[in-house]
Amino acid sequence: EPEVTQTPSHQVTQMGQEVILRCVPISNHLYFYWYRQILGQKVEFLVSFYNNEISEKSEIFDDQFSVERPDGSNFTLKIRSTKLEDSAMYFCASRGTGPYEQYFGPGTRLTVT
Amino acid sequence: AQSVTQLDSQVPVFEEAPVELRCNYSSSVSVYLFWYVQYPNQGLQLLLKYLSGSTLVKGINGFEAEFNKSQTSFHLRKPSVHISDTAEYFCAVSADHTGGFKTIFGAGTRLFVKA
C-alpha cells in the first residue's frame, strides 16, 4: 500500500538555525499538508498546498515558515530561524482528488536546543 | 470555521469492558469525520471515517462510530477493549471552506486500559 514518508525521523538543531523537513507524498496525490503536534498537545494545521501554491495557512504559519514542492515527488517545510517553541512533531499529509481522508506520514520530531 | 470537542481528556477502563469516546463538532458546512489513533511516539493511524451514507461506520481493531447530525456528534465505541488499545485517540473533521479540506483535530482522549 502506498504511504507518505518523511525524513529525517528526528532532527536536533540549535536555536536560530534553519531546518528543512522533507516529505514524499503518495505519488498520485495533489493536495499536500503540514501539521504540527507539540508534545502532549493536539495536532494543529499549519498549511495546505495545491497546484504549486499555498491554498490555506494557519496563524502559526508565519514568515519563518515556507513550503515548497521542488520536484515531482518531494514536499518540504522550511523553518528559517528556529525557536525553542518550534520543538514539536511535524506531520506531512497528502490527499487525492476527492474529499477523502488525508494520509499522514510517520512524522519528524524536531528538537530545538 | 469548524471545531472539534472531545469531551473526555482521559478514559480509564478495565480490559474487556466496553468504551465510548465522545466527540462533538461544529461546522457551517457539511463535514467529513475521522477518528485517528496514536500510540506512544508514533504517527497517526486512521481508525475509521465517515464521508456519507450509513451513519454507523466500522473501522479497524473492532472500533465503530456513529454519526449523529442532529447532535453534531461522532462518538467512538468498542464493545470490549484490550490492553493494546491503550493510546491517544483523536477525533477530526474536514470541510471544504477554501478547497483545501484541511483537517481540524480535537484535543485527544487518552484511553487507558487496565488489566
Side-chain angles (χ1 to χ4, degrees), chain A residues 33 35 37 56 100-102, chain B residues 38 49 98 100-103:
Chain A
Y33 307 83
Y35 292 83
Q37 184 182 33
E56 188 174 359
Y100 305 126
E101 77 270 20
Q102 295 165 22
Chain B
Q38 185 178 39
K49 61 189 177 190
T98 62
F101 283 99
K102 69 181 180 187
T103 301

Side-chain angles (χ1 to χ4, degrees), chain B residues 16-108:
Chain B
E16 297 183 8
V19 71
E20 179 179 78
L21 307 184
R22 297 179 294 167
C23 172
N24 286 93
Y25 69 93
S26 68
S27 177
S28 56
V29 299
S30 295
V31 297
Y32 304 96
L33 296 155
F34 310 93
W35 276 97
Y36 289 89
V37 60
Q38 185 178 39
Y39 298 101
N41 299 313
Q42 293 190 28
L44 298 163
Q45 182 181 9
L46 180 69
L47 271 180
L48 48 77
K49 61 189 177 190
Y50 172 79
L51 303 179
S52 65
S54 173
T55 56
L56 182 65
V57 291
K58 294 188 183 298
I60 61 171
N61 302 341
F63 283 93
E64 63 180 33
E66 185 155 20
F67 169 57
N68 188 320
K69 188 173 181 180
S70 62
Q71 296 187 6
T72 60
S73 68
F74 191 55
H75 301 333
L76 180 71
R77 292 190 284 262
K78 186 169 182 178
S80 175
V81 295
H82 302 292
I83 297 286
S84 59
D85 292 323
T86 294
E88 190 88 19
Y89 291 80
F90 292 96
C91 180
V93 301
S94 178
D96 183 15
H97 289 285
T98 62
F101 283 99
K102 69 181 180 187
T103 301
I104 300 298
F105 288 83

Side-chain angles (χ1 to χ4, degrees), chain A residues 2-112:
Chain A
E3 57 182 20
V4 177
T5 59
Q6 291 185 242
T7 54
S9 57
H10 191 191
Q11 172 94 47
V12 181
T13 189
Q14 289 189 326
M15 198 166 49
Q17 295 297 303
E18 174 185 286
V19 294
I20 297 176
L21 309 183
R22 290 183 168 78
C23 168
V24 178
I26 293 172
S27 64
N28 61 347
H29 284 185
L30 300 176
Y31 297 84
F32 313 110
Y33 307 83
W34 283 103
Y35 292 83
R36 179 183 82 175
Q37 184 182 33
I38 294 171
L39 186 63
Q41 298 186 25
K42 69 177 180 179
V43 179
E44 301 172 289
F45 167 77
L46 290 179
V47 66
S48 59
F49 190 86
Y50 169 72
N51 199 25
N52 282 319
E53 61 182 24
I54 291 173
S55 50
E56 188 174 359
K57 60 183 180 179
S58 71
E59 294 171 354
I60 303 167
F61 194 88
D62 61 22
D63 292 344
Q64 292 298 310
F65 291 89
S66 63
V67 289
E68 192 177 33
R69 188 156 163 81
D71 53 42
S73 59
N74 291 283
F75 179 51
T76 62
L77 174 69
K78 183 194 292 186
I79 309 175
R80 251 178 282 282
S81 177
T82 51
K83 303 188 278 279
L84 292 176
E85 53 265 37
D86 293 327
S87 293
M89 182 75 93
Y90 288 81
F91 293 105
C92 173
S94 70
R95 175 173 71 85
T97 54
Y100 305 126
E101 77 270 20
Q102 295 165 22
Y103 291 79
F104 284 82
T108 292
R109 180 168 298 284
L110 176 65
T111 302
V112 182

